[in-house]
Every structure is written in C-alpha cells, then in structure tokens.
Amino acid sequence: MYLPTEGSVRKKLKKLEGVQVTPTQRVVIDMSFDHLMNDKDIKNLIRQIERCYACNRRSSKPFHMVLAGLTGKSLQSLEEQVEGHQNWKNVTFESRSYQDVFDKENVVYLAAESDNVLSELDQTKVYVIGGLVDHNHHKGLSFSQAITEGFGHARLPIGEHIKLSSRKVLTVNHVYEILMSFAETGDWKESFLHVIPTRKGVETLALAPTDSHEPKSRTESDSELPVMSENST
C-alpha cells in the first residue's frame, strides 16, 4: 500500500493552490453614488470593497466582481488607497453604468424594500449591490431606482432566518460576504450568523424572544435591513 510522503503532500497542496477557478456568478457593486457621499464616506466605501476582494480571493467559489459606474471621486479614492488594484483577479473596473453593460432581464438589484425574497443564486443573473455609505439617509433609494428603471429586484431573506435587536444597515462587504457564504454553503442562516457582527444582536428565529417586545410585523421588524451600507468601523 502506497503512503504519500510529507513532501509529496506539500507539493500536491501547492499545485492545488495554484489552480484558477473561473467565476460564473456575477456580482456588481453600483459605484454611481459619489454625489450622495462626502470624502470620508467614499474612503469608507473603498475600504469595504477591499474587504469584498479579500473575501473573493479566499473563496473556493469566487464571484466575478464588477465595479460599475466607477468614475470621479470613487475612482480617485481607489487609485490613492489601493496600490496594485489593477492586478486584482476576477474583478472588472467599469466606468459605464450597470444599466449599459448588462441585459435588463438579467439584472437583480438587492433592496430590502423588495417583496421578492432571494432564495437561491441564479448564475444567469447579475446581482447588484448599491455602493452607498449613507448612514441610512437615503433609505429606499436602490429600490426606487430599480422600480423606476424597470430592473428586477429582491431582498436577502434576513427576516425568514434571524432577528436583530437593532435596525442598523449592512455594509457593502457584509452583503457581498453573505452572498459568497451562501454560494459556498447553500445555507442562509449559517451565512447570516457567520457574517453579521454580533453587536447587532443577532438571534436565530428558534431562539428569538416571543414576548410583547417582539416587532409587530415583518415589514416593521428590525431584521429587515436596507441592502445599503453604513459607516465602516
């Protein structure tokens, strides 16, 4: 019986690490909100995008990440903050809007106000995350934009799997990491619990309290978060 040596195992692992996985799932970060952010918020957004890329690099099922509408201050901040971003793998830097790049029937804009619950990831679809650090000042903007322009939309199934003690919004990288975790595990609850910070008071539905302080309805629940970003910490 052949038993591999330690050296042969190391060589095999090194070879596997060099294997390039071609992404099939496309996830867009909509970078068209410069006019709604100050310089500090734009820098925070770029840091969140760096975290998205780090997550993508580590993943066994990386996405094809597209930064669409990347112009102006966001582009300038990226160039100033992130040395070597031009060499990022599985990332496309696109100055055009996502509306001009992808077929309308394939676009799904993620927005908490949507009545459409995202249950699975469809590799033929392009999922769009609003690249906006707004501290909840522009609630519902992504949803109204999708409705006005006739694009598909959906929300993460947060309220179906967990409850939160606060109504803080999710950052861009949190949304991206949740999608990536689900792509790897196929489990929404596990993905939410793995990604969302514990300071947000995350509870699974099975453990959530049932007293009089429970939210009146799903739409009013603190677990329904806008799929937009907050100031990173």
Side-chain angles (χ1 to χ4, degrees), residues 70-132:
L70 181 62
T71 59
K73 289 186 177 181
S74 289
L75 176 59
Q76 180 182 348
S77 186
L78 176 67
E79 292 174 339
E80 292 175 351
Q81 290 180 233
V82 188
E83 183 178 355
H85 68 275
Q86 302 91 337
N87 300 320
W88 282 4
K89 298 182 183 300
N90 302 322
V91 179
T92 297
F93 302 100
E94 177 59 68
S95 61
R96 294 175 296 169
S97 169
Y98 70 91
Q99 296 103 316
D100 299 323
V101 176
F102 302 103
D103 293 334
K104 179 177 288 189
E105 61 268 22
N106 294 331
V107 172
V108 178
Y109 212 117
L110 299 179
E113 295 79 14
S114 176
D115 290 330
N116 304 321
V117 180
L118 187 66
S119 58
E120 299 290 340
L121 294 181
D122 183 343
Q123 293 187 357
T124 68
K125 299 298 183 182
V126 180
Y127 296 100
V128 182
I129 302 171
L132 176 60

Side-chain angles (χ1 to χ4, degrees), residues 22 31 35 59 65 68 90 114 140 163 185 187 201 216 223-224:
T22 302
M31 303 292 292
H35 61 293
S59 177
M65 182 166 69
N90 302 322
S114 176
K163 286 189 177 182
T185 65
D187 189 320
K216 295 179 181 179
S223 63
E224 291 303 315

Side-chain angles (χ1 to χ4, degrees), residues 69-220:
L70 181 62
T71 59
K73 289 186 177 181
S74 289
L75 176 59
Q76 180 182 348
S77 186
L78 176 67
E79 292 174 339
E80 292 175 351
Q81 290 180 233
V82 188
E83 183 178 355
H85 68 275
Q86 302 91 337
N87 300 320
W88 282 4
K89 298 182 183 300
N90 302 322
V91 179
T92 297
F93 302 100
E94 177 59 68
S95 61
R96 294 175 296 169
S97 169
Y98 70 91
Q99 296 103 316
D100 299 323
V101 176
F102 302 103
D103 293 334
K104 179 177 288 189
E105 61 268 22
N106 294 331
V107 172
V108 178
Y109 212 117
L110 299 179
E113 295 79 14
S114 176
D115 290 330
N116 304 321
V117 180
L118 187 66
S119 58
E120 299 290 340
L121 294 181
D122 183 343
Q123 293 187 357
T124 68
K125 299 298 183 182
V126 180
Y127 296 100
V128 182
I129 302 171
L132 176 60
V133 176
D134 75 330
H135 314 282
N136 216 14
H137 295 157
H138 299 282
K139 181 182 176 182
L141 179 62
S142 298
F143 181 62
S144 62
Q145 178 174 291
I147 292 293
T148 300
E149 298 174 356
F151 286 93
H153 48 83
R155 64 173 176 84
L156 298 179
I158 296 176
E160 284 71 19
H161 295 281
I162 63 171
K163 286 189 177 182
L164 298 158
S165 61
S166 66
R167 191 176 169 75
K168 293 181 179 179
V169 293
L170 298 180
T171 62
V172 169
N173 58 288
H174 286 155
V175 178
Y176 193 93
E177 290 171 28
I178 288 168
L179 293 176
M180 179 148 286
S181 179
F182 178 75
E184 294 172 342
T185 65
D187 189 320
W188 283 116
K189 180 181 290 187
E190 179 182 336
S191 299
F192 293 136
L193 295 177
H194 175 69
V195 174
I196 298 176
T198 55
R199 68 176 183 274
K200 293 184 182 290
V202 181
E203 295 181 85
T204 63
L205 289 181
L207 300 176
T210 56
D211 58 22
S212 59
H213 298 292
E214 187 175 70
K216 295 179 181 179
S217 68
R218 181 183 61 77
T219 56
E220 297 174 351

Side-chain angles (χ1 to χ4, degrees), residues 42-54:
I42 290 175
K43 289 180 179 179
N44 283 335
L45 173 61
I46 298 303
R47 282 195 288 268
Q48 292 174 22
I49 290 171
E50 285 188 89
R51 293 169 185 165
C52 293
Y53 177 66

